[in-house]
Structure formats: structure tokens, C-alpha cells
Amino acid sequence: RPRIFSGMQPTADSLHLGNYLGALVNWVALQDSHEAIYSVVDLHALTVNPDPGVLLERTRRTAAQYLAAGIDPQRSILFVQSHVAEHAELAWVLSCYTGFGEASRMTQFKDKAARQGTEGANVGLFTYPVLMASDILLYDAALVPVGEDQRQHLEITRDLAQRFNARHGDTFVVPEPHIVRATAKIYDLGDPTAKMGKSTSTATGLVDLLADPAVIAKRIRSAVTDAEREIRFDPEAKPGVSNLLTIHSALSGRSIDQLVEDFTGRGYGDLKKELAEVVLDFVTPFQATVRGYLDDPAELDRVLAVGAERARAIAAPTLATVYERIGLLPRR
Ligand code: AQP
């Protein structure tokens, strides 16, 4: 089975619908056909300088949400990034193969740095894509299931792998992004031209999976649409309505065409009401399952420790090969 790798940062108490539909759903689906490795990338989260207690809590919460979504720690490897030291070690090596200008062109860095101000942006945020490349390349991952916003980071990962291979001989598998077009970008409910994001959303634009169901329903009911009345899928002209149809379709399993047909002659209010029901039908049991995992942190930590052991068994030989190829004196 080909190998896949992906991860999310524990930078919020809850994942949101964009994380879930853009990435996590695909992670779950790929577990059968692939040898899947999924990580809570806590080292990446350090780029926002979290409060230590908050980071620790969010790391467990993120892992619990992976499990509740259907990541099976028997079939797949589930671990916390900082438990496998090879990630940070390979990142240093690859940073020496990354051009300053190349890293400066990353749009996510430019956006996030602009929001934090030049003084606020740290070097970790700048080298973030190099750490991400290390995450992927350590495991010879052929495929990386992510949302559209990660495409550029996948490109630099591929460039680094190719550059290293050209210089030192075939060492890394050059990975492909796995981006499912229909759900590659879930939009902010309050500003349907912007991506739903943990740190970027409008006050009412974010749907957190662990939010109070009443708040979720209210946000869906107040989603920005347009001045027309017709329900049709047209992301250019009708981004708000199209986003609602996308979310509905992804969660209910009904095709967009079917939904458009079912809503013929009905108003936006009906669509929002039904969508709220569809979302709550998903989040209610999801939240209960997450609570169950969080009620037993010792068991959660045990599962993560097993995952780290399995991850290290793959990562360590890769790093050893890299060290040998670049001429580091072997440790005795
Ligand atoms: N709106 C989205 N639509 C589709 N996919 C999305 N992803 C994020 N937002 C959307 C995908 O979810 C994963 C998140 O990875 P991460 O935790 O490393 O990224 P992040 O930048 O902290 O998360 P956000 O939520 O995207 O927050 P901000 O606001 O900080 O940008 C990735 O696979 C991503 O593609």
C-alpha cells in the first residue's frame, strides 16, 4: 500500500468544518487503500507562541478529534510530531537546501506575517514549510491529503526532495498533493470569498466542530448569501449559496445537482435550516465521542505513544540515510 502523511496544528480548541471537509474526511477514507500516517504537528504550532498549558490541552483535543472523525490507530499511525525528534533534525538539514528567496515567496508566510506585523513574525513561521517538508519526506509519503491552501507548501516539498535527490542520489520519494476538488476550499460563512480558517475568520464565519450546537445553528442561519432568491451552484456569482451547498453535499452525501433540484422553488431560509440540521446531526455524536476520549487522557496518551514508536521506526532510518549521504560523521 502506498504511504500517505498529513497533519494539523493544535492551534485551536476545535477543528472547523474546513479542516474536517478539506482534509480529515479524506484522511479517514484513505486509510484502507494506503498506509496512513497522521500527526498532530505541535512543533508547527509553536510559531504562534501558544501558552504552554493551552498547547498541551489542544494537542490532546486535536488527537481526540482525529479519532472521533474515524482515524483508526490500529490501521494508521497516529502520533504527536514532537515525540519523533527526527522531524526537527531533518528540518535543519533541509533548511540548508532552501533558498531564502524561495521561502520568502510562500504566500501563507506573507499573509500570516502581514497579519502579525514584521516584528511579530518569527523565524519559525518563515521556515514552517521546511518543517512541513521534513514531516512528509521522513516517511517516503507518496501522497499528502490537504486542502487547497497547502498546494504551494507541497510544491516546495517536491522541489526540496528533487534537489536533495539530484545532489545525493535517490533518497526521498517525491510526494503528490491529494486535493479533493469539491471540498478543497470551504469558505467563511460571513465572507464567502475568504477561506474558513482558525485564525482568519470573520466573527460569525467559522463553524467549529466542538462549538455549542446552538451557536453553530445560528451561524449557519446568518450565513451571507446574496440578494437573489434562486438556489443554484455558481461559485463565481453566488459564492455564499454555493458554499452552503458544498457543505451540505459533503456531509449528507447527496450530490449538488440533487440538492439544487430538491430546493427548486424554495428559499435560502429553507436551505440554511436544513443545512443546520445536517451539520448538527454530524457534530452532536462527534462531540460526544471527543468528550469520551478527553475523559481518559491517560489512554489517549498511551495511543499516541504507540503511534510515536511506530512513526520513529520509519523516520529514524530515513534520517540516518540522510546524515550518511551528506557526510556527517556516524555516531558510535
Ligand atoms: N477552509 C478550508 N477548506 C478546506 N481545507 C482547509 N484546511 C484548512 N482550512 C480549510 C485544511 O485543513 C488542514 C489544516 O492544517 P493546519 O492546522 O496545519 O493549518 P492552519 O493554517 O493552522 O489551519 P487553518 O484552519 O487553515 O487556519 P489559518 O486561519 O491559520 O489558516 C490543512 O490540510 C488545510 O489545507
Side-chain angles (χ1 to χ4, degrees):
R1 291 185 301 164
R3 206 176 272 152
I4 55 177
F5 178 93
S6 199
M8 292 198 210
Q9 304 186 75
T11 42
D13 287 342
S14 174
L15 298 178
H16 55 74
L17 264 185
N19 299 140
Y20 180 69
L21 297 177
L24 199 45
V25 164
N26 304 320
W27 295 11
V28 173
L30 289 164
Q31 291 183 107
D32 287 327
S33 48
H34 292 73
E35 184 183 348
I37 305 174
Y38 298 126
S39 183
V40 179
V41 290
D42 55 346
L43 296 176
H44 282 281
L46 294 177
T47 55
V48 298
N49 297 143
D51 176 78
V54 171
L55 175 61
L56 190 143
E57 180 59 27
R58 287 177 170 174
T59 299
R60 286 207 186 101
R61 287 175 79 95
T62 304
Q65 289 172 87
Y66 289 2
L67 291 165
I71 300 301
D72 173 358
Q74 309 287 334
R75 265 187 300 165
S76 303
I77 296 179
L78 168 60
F79 75 105
V80 174
Q81 184 187 31
S82 64
H83 294 177
V84 180
E86 283 78 1
H87 290 250
E89 292 185 59
L90 182 60
W92 173 256
V93 174
L94 292 182
S95 72
C96 300
Y97 289 74
T98 311
F100 191 84
E102 186 178 28
S104 306
R105 284 192 292 276
M106 294 294 113
T107 54
Q108 191 174 87
F109 169 72
K110 288 195 276 190
D111 291 350
K112 291 195 174 182
R115 262 184 274 132
Q116 292 182 10
T118 327
E119 290 302 311
N122 56 57
V123 175
L125 191 64
F126 184 66
T127 58
Y128 184 110
V130 181
L131 181 57
M132 179 167 157
S134 307
D135 298 341
I136 297 162
L137 299 180
L138 272 177
Y139 298 97
D140 291 336
L143 216 60
V144 184
V146 285
E148 179 61 40
D149 59 332
Q150 294 300 324
R151 192 183 287 280
Q152 197 185 30
H153 289 163
L154 251 298
E155 270 310 312
I156 200 171
T157 301
R158 290 170 54 83
D159 290 346
L160 283 169
Q162 280 159 347
R163 194 172 302 155
F164 191 98
N165 288 350
R167 171 108 193 259
H168 300 290
D170 263 356
T171 307
F172 296 125
V173 169
V174 181
E176 298 281 344
H178 176 83
I179 300 174
V180 175
R181 186 148 11 122
T183 49
K185 196 167 176 184
I186 301 298
Y187 293 87
D188 185 295
L189 297 189
D191 174 6
T193 60
K195 162 187 114 108
M196 185 181 287
K198 290 183 205 130
S199 53
T200 51
S201 280
T202 62
T204 57
L206 185 67
V207 178
D208 274 337
L209 303 181
L210 301 183
D212 179 342
V215 171
I216 294 177
K218 188 153 177 254
R219 290 201 173 173
I220 293 170
R221 279 199 308 272
S222 58
V224 166
T225 45
D226 55 53
E228 294 179 10
R229 297 183 48 94
E230 195 194 358
I231 295 175
R232 65 189 158 83
F233 188 74
D234 181 349
E236 289 290 311
K238 297 171 77 71
V241 173
S242 302
N243 190 40
L244 298 180
L245 287 168
T246 298
I247 296 170
H248 191 317
S249 170
L251 286 175
S252 67
R254 281 150 68 188
S255 72
I256 301 260
D257 287 348
Q258 186 65 53
L259 289 173
V260 169
E261 197 181 315
D262 291 350
F263 279 101
T264 307
R266 296 161 70 193
Y268 293 165
D270 277 2
L271 172 62
K272 291 176 179 177
K273 187 159 167 284
E274 190 177 299
L275 178 59
E277 283 166 16
V278 166
V279 173
L280 292 195
D281 281 350
F282 161 65
V283 298
T284 308
F286 179 84
Q287 293 185 358
T289 313
V290 170
R291 272 197 298 276
Y293 286 117
L294 292 176
D295 280 346
D296 192 354
E299 172 60 12
L300 192 55
D301 292 357
R302 191 197 62 78
V303 168
L304 293 169
V306 172
E309 205 54 55
R310 291 169 65 197
R312 205 174 305 119
I314 303 170
T318 310
L319 186 71
T321 305
V322 168
Y323 277 10
E324 186 197 316
R325 297 217 166 145
I326 61 179
L328 299 187
L329 183 69
R331 260 183 291 214
R332 292 267 166 231

